[in-house]
Amino acid sequence: REAEAFKEQGNAYYAKKDYNEAYNYYTKAIDTCPNNASYYGNRAATLMMLGRFREALEDAQQSVRLDDTFVRGHLREGKCHLSLGNAMAASRCFQRVLELDHKNTQAQQELKNALTVLEYEKIAEVDFEKRDFRKVVFCMDRALEFAPTCHRFKILKAECLALLGRYPEAQSVASDILRMDSTNADALYVRGLCLYYEDCIEKAVQFFVQALRMAPDHEKACLACRNAKALKAKKEDGNKAFKKGNYKLAYELYTEALGIDPNNIKTNAKLYCNRGTVNSKLRKLEEAIDDCTNAVKLDDTYIKAYLRRAQCYMDTEQYEDAVRDYEKVYQTEKTKEHKQLLKNAQVELKKSKRKDYYKILGVDKNASEDEIKKAYRKRALMHHPDRHSGASAEVQKEEEKKFKEVGEAFTILSDPKKKARYDSGQDLEEDGLNMGDFDANNIFKAFFGGPGGFSFEASGPGNFFFQFG
């Protein structure tokens, strides 16, 4: 009678949703009469409302041990199993209810739910092997609707979020589990995995080591820990070799590091950029560009890789590509330095689309005045139309064009002001120089001087000499 009184008081508090007090009175009832199945069943229901499903499961199991025909006990045990993610055990409980009461609609629905969870687990297992992590996350979200307290489902979801690069979400899920269970090796592994993929390798190792301390046979934590340590060591060795100027060794070390874990996107992006820097030092500029391209494919926010590639584009005179990279950098980080780099690339691009007068004369950009005159004399005589009067019309036209360009080049490069404007990429038309009306013969006459005429005469097969009148 005393136990029944405690039970009634517990029922009253349960009805008021005061589950803590209900729990206390059901416990008093059990202490008074420990062999009553309904008391354990009621306390299990209360613990479920408090979200304490593991404790609730123990009470539900005790209730059906005391009375195997206790339908509500089997239902509650099944609900606890399902909430904790053990859909197979839950199915057995609901099937037992249907053996006792084949018309029980709650058991019918809960059995469907349990079978649905089992199906999502099977799909997720296959998709994880296929590395279709988005689908695994979807399956786990659906399964967690029926099994909201299942740590296993949450961990699998968090691991896939980390593998998808959604680190804050993955960290949040793992942290929630660790708040409830600080020794959960799987959650520790996921925390480490997020740090590892964010290139915080030293901190990641600490979490992997902690996970292995809790579960020495944790294969994933063991592999990740080994990869993290190897990556850290190779990268540091490569950096040391680079600082010492041993670029060949640095290249080899960075290449070895890139082979350790293709899934570590951020670290590999840095390794590609580092190797690109090595290649640029070795003047292997196309290889450097390829490495930087691989870096930005892995991490399209990696400013350092864009800057390195842009410089290589500048060095190989691929100015349009350099401008594109500098624009990307400046849009991301609007600094004075980046603005100036972009401006310089735009100037070089503009200059590259004009005639290269240095190339036409065959001189260096730092050529002296005498060198420019000497080069003009040589090229003007080489391409003068009179020298090619016996050639085909097509050849004559091409040589006449080259003769005119040589005159243009000399006109610009022999004038300090025009040369300065040309070197800075400014428009020469602003100086009033209209190359469309340019007469190369006037420059030729002025350069060689003399009031008389001049002619080219043959002195033998393929040989000419220049004769003034």
Side-chain angles (χ1 to χ4, degrees):
R1 285 195 299 270
E2 186 181 9
E4 279 296 308
F6 287 138
K7 174 191 167 184
E8 291 302 325
Q9 286 178 286
N11 290 347
Y13 281 112
Y14 188 93
K16 295 177 186 177
K17 298 184 180 180
D18 187 346
Y19 301 118
N20 286 312
E21 279 301 310
Y23 171 83
N24 291 335
Y25 278 100
Y26 289 140
T27 300
K28 289 179 180 179
I30 289 169
D31 290 342
T32 305
C33 185
N35 295 319
N36 188 299
S38 69
Y39 298 165
Y40 286 100
N42 286 6
R43 191 168 73 173
T46 303
L47 287 166
M48 289 167 69
M49 298 306 293
L50 290 169
R52 293 157 62 179
F53 285 92
R54 293 196 181 280
E55 297 170 74
L57 176 61
E58 293 175 9
D59 274 353
Q61 288 174 326
Q62 180 61 18
S63 73
V64 296
R65 275 195 290 269
L66 292 169
D67 181 0
D68 186 48
T69 65
F70 186 30
V71 169
R72 280 184 294 177
H74 286 295
L75 275 171
R76 285 164 186 161
E77 182 187 358
K79 286 284 286 181
C80 288
H81 278 309
L82 186 57
S83 182
L84 293 167
N86 191 344
M88 186 63 74
S91 298
R92 289 195 291 268
C93 294
F94 299 134
Q95 285 167 348
R96 175 58 180 152
V97 172
L98 292 172
E99 289 172 8
L100 296 169
D101 177 8
H102 69 276
K103 292 183 180 180
N104 192 300
T105 56
Q106 185 181 358
Q108 290 170 357
Q109 183 56 53
E110 294 293 357
L111 180 58
K112 285 182 183 179
N113 294 345
L115 295 174
T116 298
V117 170
L118 285 171
E119 186 63 24
Y120 279 128
E121 282 190 78
K122 288 178 185 177
I123 295 170
E125 185 178 352
V126 172
D127 288 328
F128 190 89
E129 290 299 317
K130 292 179 181 177
R131 299 186 66 79
D132 189 350
F133 302 124
R134 293 182 192 281
K135 198 168 179 184
V136 178
V137 171
F138 172 82
C139 288
M140 289 302 95
D141 279 336
R142 300 290 79 76
L144 284 164
E145 291 174 5
F146 302 107
T149 61
C150 178
H151 286 180
R152 185 164 50 88
F153 293 168
K154 289 179 180 179
I155 287 294
L156 181 55
K157 175 185 173 179
E159 183 179 0
C160 289
L161 287 171
L163 292 167
L164 288 167
R166 293 160 63 178
Y167 307 120
E169 295 172 75
Q171 288 271 30
S172 177
V173 174
S175 296
D176 286 344
I177 293 171
L178 288 170
R179 273 193 288 273
M180 292 180 279
D181 178 9
S182 62
T183 64
N184 189 300
D186 291 324
L188 290 167
Y189 160 71
V190 170
R191 283 291 306 276
L193 197 64
C194 291
L195 291 164
Y196 172 63
Y197 284 143
E198 288 182 296
D199 198 41
C200 300
I201 294 180
E202 199 166 330
K203 287 184 179 179
V205 169
Q206 293 174 5
F207 276 98
F208 294 144
V209 169
Q210 196 175 348
L212 289 167
R213 197 176 294 128
M214 301 302 165
D217 297 329
H218 199 294
E219 291 182 8
K220 289 181 178 179
C222 185
L223 176 62
C225 190
R226 188 163 62 246
N227 285 345
K229 287 179 178 179
L231 261 180
K232 183 173 181 288
K234 286 288 182 188
K235 185 181 175 186
E236 288 178 353
D237 288 345
N239 293 346
K240 287 175 185 175
F242 180 84
K243 287 176 182 176
K244 290 179 180 178
N246 191 342
Y247 301 131
K248 185 179 178 182
L249 177 59
Y251 178 91
E252 291 172 357
L253 289 165
Y254 289 141
T255 302
E256 289 173 15
L258 281 165
I260 292 172
D261 185 1
N263 296 318
N264 194 322
I265 291 170
K266 282 207 171 184
T267 301
N268 287 343
K270 290 184 178 180
L271 288 167
Y272 271 121
C273 188
N274 287 1
R275 196 173 74 174
T277 303
V278 171
N279 275 324
S280 70
K281 292 288 186 183
L282 294 169
R283 304 310 295 167
K284 296 180 179 179
L285 298 178
E286 289 301 328
E287 289 91 334
I289 288 170
D290 289 341
D291 276 339
C292 292
T293 299
N294 284 326
V296 298
K297 279 180 182 176
L298 293 175
D299 182 2
D300 63 1
T301 65
Y302 193 14
I303 295 298
K304 189 176 178 182
Y306 283 109
L307 288 170
R308 172 60 56 194
R309 186 171 70 174
Q311 184 58 56
C312 291
Y313 281 139
M314 291 290 286
D315 292 341
T316 53
E317 299 183 2
Q318 300 178 65
Y319 299 119
E320 287 188 7
D321 292 322
V323 167
R324 187 183 63 245
D325 276 357
Y326 283 133
E327 283 177 341
K328 169 78 174 177
V329 169
Y330 186 62
Q331 286 168 4
T332 307
E333 293 182 1
K334 295 185 183 296
T335 67
K336 288 182 179 179
E337 181 187 357
H338 294 160
K339 186 176 182 180
Q340 188 60 47
L341 288 169
L342 174 58
K343 186 178 178 181
N344 292 344
Q346 289 169 334
V347 168
E348 291 302 322
L349 174 60
K350 186 177 180 181
K351 286 163 64 176
S352 72
K353 292 184 176 181
R354 307 170 310 169
K355 291 177 182 177
D356 187 342
Y357 291 136
Y358 291 102
K359 190 174 181 180
I360 289 168
L361 285 184
V363 296
D364 186 77
K365 291 184 179 181
N366 298 316
S368 67
E369 187 178 343
D370 286 342
E371 287 172 329
I372 289 170
K373 286 180 180 179
K374 184 178 178 181
Y376 171 72
R377 181 183 293 111
K378 179 181 176 182
R379 295 295 173 109
L381 291 173
M382 184 187 300
H383 299 297
H384 194 284
D386 286 355
R387 183 173 184 176
H388 304 279
S389 57
S392 66
E394 187 178 345
V395 171
Q396 286 186 41
K397 187 176 179 181
E398 181 63 26
E399 292 300 325
E400 187 178 347
K401 178 185 174 185
K402 290 179 179 178
F403 178 70
K404 184 178 178 181
E405 287 179 341
V406 168
E408 285 181 23
F410 179 73
T411 300
I412 300 304
L413 300 183
S414 63
D415 185 318
K417 288 185 178 179
K418 289 187 175 72
K419 183 177 184 294
R421 291 180 66 80
Y422 175 77
D423 288 343
S424 65
Q426 296 182 55
D427 291 326
L428 297 172
E429 285 76 6
E430 293 179 11
D431 283 339
L433 182 62
N434 187 347
M435 290 303 179
D437 300 331
F438 179 80
D439 189 344
N441 284 308
N442 290 335
I443 299 298
F444 189 84
K445 290 174 184 178
F447 187 88
F448 285 98
F454 51 88
S455 64
F456 286 90
E457 294 184 10
S459 62
N463 296 318
F464 293 85
F465 66 89
F466 182 73
Q467 181 178 359
F468 283 100

